Amino acid sequence: QAQLVESGGGLVQAGGSLRLSCVVSGSIISYNDLGWYRQAPGKQRDLVAAITTTGSINYSDSVKGRFTISRDYAKNTMYLQMNSLKPEDTAVYYCKARYSLNGRDYWGKGTQVTVSL
């Protein structure tokens, strides 16, 4: 059973930065389509950033130029560097990865990010 565990969330003032981490069980090479999603209260879960096995990266328009997704093969970890945070970035952030051996998507339990004025 693949497992993903997020960390790095917290409370930060507007304009500040946070880096989220997502450790995957086993080798990160075994996962395709790594991504970060977020869900604010009363809203649907939306894609924030994604990276494919070929290195292709996609960002939502609302975070382009402020957030950066990356992965570290040695640490089996993907990251989301978030700069110039805004109150509207407040949400629970989830990482997701597709396990290549069975094609299933696996999600972490989420980490709360709160941006204050």
Side-chain angles (χ1 to χ4, degrees):
Q1 180 85 5
Q3 291 186 327
L4 285 70
V5 179
E6 305 99 335
S7 62
L11 174 64
V12 64
Q13 287 188 325
S17 298
L18 284 173
R19 188 177 78 158
L20 306 183
S21 299
C22 174
V23 180
V24 304
S25 60
S27 173
I28 200 169
I29 297 176
S30 299
Y31 296 84
N32 302 321
D33 299 332
L34 305 173
W36 287 96
Y37 292 72
R38 67 185 181 187
Q39 187 168 20
K43 296 188 177 181
Q44 67 181 19
R45 191 174 298 186
D46 292 324
L47 175 68
V48 175
I51 183 168
T52 69
T53 50
T54 60
S56 176
I57 293 176
N58 181 44
Y59 294 102
S60 69
D61 288 341
S62 61
V63 306
K64 279 181 182 176
R66 300 189 297 123
F67 290 12
T68 303
I69 188 172
S70 63
R71 59 191 170 190
D72 186 327
Y73 288 109
K75 296 182 179 180
N76 295 315
T77 302
M78 66 172 168
Y79 301 98
L80 185 68
Q81 178 66 43
M82 307 186 294
N83 299 327
S84 302
L85 282 161
K86 305 175 181 179
E88 51 264 44
D89 294 319
T90 295
V92 178
Y93 284 70
Y94 300 88
C95 61
K96 191 206 81 170
R98 180 162 297 166
Y99 195 41
S100 60
L101 296 183
N102 60 19
R104 289 180 57 188
D105 288 337
Y106 292 86
W107 293 84
K109 293 184 178 181
T111 184
Q112 175 72 46
V113 171
T114 303
V115 184
S116 64
L117 289 170

